[in-house]
Amino acid sequence: MNTDLPPFALLIDADNVARDALAAIIEDLTRDARIAVRRVYGDFTTQHLAAWRDVIANHGFHPVQQYRNSVGKNSSDSALIIDAMDLLHSGRFAGFCLVSSDGDFTRLATRIREDGLRMYGYGRNDAAKSFVNACERFTYIEHLLEPTSRATLALDREEASKSVEATPPPTAGLAAATAVAAGTPCIRAAVEASPLDPLRLQTQLLRAHANVAEEDGWALMARVAQYVRANQSDFDPRHHGASSFSRLLEATAVFDVVLRKKGNGQTHFCRPKKTLTQPIASHHLNRAVPADYVQALRDAASKSQGPDGWLSALVIGQQMKAMGRDLKDSGCATLYEALAATGLFEMRATNGSREFRLREVHRG
């Protein structure tokens, strides 16, 4: 056992997680923490939690039995919260890990962070957003499971939904996971939280880089990852099909990545490519923009473009305003969406900002 890792208390709400996710959660958490306390809460006399008995024993958990004293009420939530506060006040832990998808734990998560402790969360892809955001780091358990385990996950959730006393309504996430259990072909994204579209992901990464970059434009890759995580607790490279943050950066094709000397060793630095032409997302191209607004965008770009044809959305927006055109006339939420939907422009990222150019400028 690595005693150098910070001690964590791992508390699991059995009503809100599948038993087959337990091993994957432990494996993921022990990369960064030493699990000093392992407790799982629920009414294990009920049918849908009876199968937890062997799993609890195999992983060394202390089960906290909580009978349902009222129909429709989950008394294990209260027991978990009380125990968490007792453990918090003991001062023995560097952090907590709560495994649940229930928004009722939001205040507990924020209270733990207020004491300066780390707060990690694990839950389903339909976890309450308030709880997700209250955690310092939140991991969707669907990311951790192999396809066969996902099938068991779906069955567990179906079992729980049949319980007379429990019963959250079916959700889109449950429907997708059930499809896996039934053998329906289903890509990974169908049972995970929907990933950001490529352009939003690139923008997020570029913004993170801009906030942590050094004077020469290079930034420690680890600091970029840390910044993204700090601003989006459920950010996970696996959510985008990458096994690590470095592989995610490589896959976006937005950054140059180099190994540079730092201190007594070497570490990875990244910097946006000097000029990066990016495709316009296909779902933007399917939107209809009124013909007169499209012509106005063409005219605005033609009047404002530089020698190489490239110009920023800000410049186009100012020209459109001078022409008396209003964004609401486009039917789009942002000028970027309007520019993308016309199909007239190509886009590039230059040192963290977007620029546009009429396609016809460089055709011949």
Side-chain angles (χ1 to χ4, degrees):
M1 179 173 61
N2 187 350
T3 56
D4 293 333
L5 292 173
F8 267 55
L10 172 57
L11 309 179
I12 296 179
D13 174 13
D15 289 305
N16 279 287
V17 65
R19 63 186 184 276
D20 277 12
L22 202 55
I25 290 170
I26 293 171
E27 182 179 350
D28 191 68
L29 179 60
T30 50
R31 293 183 305 171
D32 305 308
R34 175 172 57 86
I35 305 175
V37 169
R38 304 183 182 203
R39 297 181 188 175
V40 58
Y41 298 77
D43 184 356
F44 301 102
T45 63
T46 61
Q47 182 178 358
H48 78 278
L49 292 186
W52 273 80
R53 184 180 305 167
D54 291 340
V55 178
I56 290 172
N58 290 341
H59 294 288
F61 273 79
H62 170 60
V64 181
Q65 168 64 34
Q66 288 295 311
Y67 294 99
R68 295 175 185 270
N69 299 314
S70 302
V71 175
K73 299 293 184 181
N74 188 353
S75 58
S76 61
D77 288 5
S78 300
L80 190 156
I81 292 171
I82 291 170
D83 281 5
M85 293 306 297
D86 286 343
L87 294 170
L88 174 65
H89 291 309
S90 73
R92 296 187 292 118
F93 302 94
F96 282 73
C97 176
L98 301 183
V99 182
S100 181
S101 303
D102 194 338
D104 290 343
F105 293 113
T106 300
R107 179 57 187 134
L108 174 60
T110 58
R111 177 65 184 83
I112 290 170
R113 294 188 69 178
E114 285 171 1
D115 258 30
L117 276 67
R118 300 178 189 176
M119 176 62 237
Y120 293 173
Y122 290 81
R124 301 189 306 264
N125 60 28
D126 59 354
K129 199 63 179 176
S130 59
F131 178 51
V132 172
N133 292 335
C135 295
E136 177 182 339
R137 186 180 86 184
F138 191 91
T139 302
Y140 296 106
I141 58 177
E142 286 85 355
H143 295 167
L144 305 177
L145 301 177
E146 295 301 323
T148 53
S149 298
R150 290 183 192 146
T152 305
L153 168 65
L155 292 173
D156 279 357
R157 293 172 68 183
E158 185 177 357
E159 241 177 65
S161 69
K162 291 178 181 177
S163 171
V164 175
E165 301 167 346
T167 266
T171 65
L174 174 58
T178 304
V180 176
T184 304
C186 183
I187 60 172
R188 177 183 178 123
V191 293
E192 296 176 352
S194 300
L196 296 174
D197 68 51
L199 290 180
R200 285 184 61 199
L201 173 61
Q202 290 175 3
T203 300
Q204 183 182 53
L205 294 173
L206 288 167
R207 183 183 301 116
H209 170 274
N211 281 280
V212 301
E214 299 177 0
E215 291 183 0
D216 61 358
W218 291 96
L220 270 169
M221 184 186 297
R223 289 197 64 197
V224 176
Q226 184 181 37
Y227 183 91
V228 174
R229 175 76 72 181
N231 287 275
Q232 185 184 340
S233 62
D234 59 349
F235 178 83
D236 191 329
R238 293 169 294 193
H239 191 21
H240 304 279
S243 59
S244 64
F245 189 76
S246 60
R247 291 186 181 278
L248 178 63
L249 286 189
E250 291 174 3
T252 63
V254 176
F255 292 90
D256 290 322
V257 178
V258 298
L259 194 62
R260 299 174 62 186
K261 184 176 180 180
K262 184 172 177 63
N264 295 324
Q266 291 184 316
T267 189
H268 285 95
F269 284 75
C270 61
R271 181 177 67 181
K273 293 180 182 295
K274 289 296 185 181
T275 301
L276 174 72
T277 301
Q278 300 175 339
I280 300 295
S282 59
H283 66 274
H284 289 309
L285 300 177
N286 296 328
R287 303 190 63 172
V289 178
D292 62 327
Y293 195 87
V294 172
Q295 184 58 49
L297 284 174
R298 185 197 298 272
D299 294 342
S302 297
K303 293 177 182 178
S304 309
Q305 64 192 14
D308 61 356
W310 291 102
L311 67 167
S312 68
L314 177 62
V315 172
I316 297 175
Q318 291 173 340
Q319 184 62 42
M320 290 290 283
K321 186 174 182 180
M323 294 164 58
R325 301 309 303 255
D326 196 310
L327 177 62
K328 66 181 181 181
D329 297 334
S330 69
C332 299
T334 65
L335 182 59
Y336 164 68
E337 289 185 9
L339 290 167
T342 64
L344 298 176
F345 296 86
E346 62 179 348
M347 185 186 76
R348 73 177 183 181
T350 303
N351 293 330
S353 64
R354 290 174 176 166
E355 292 183 339
F356 297 84
R357 180 170 70 177
L358 285 165
R359 294 183 183 279
E360 58 201 39
V361 168
H362 62 289
R363 279 181 184 165

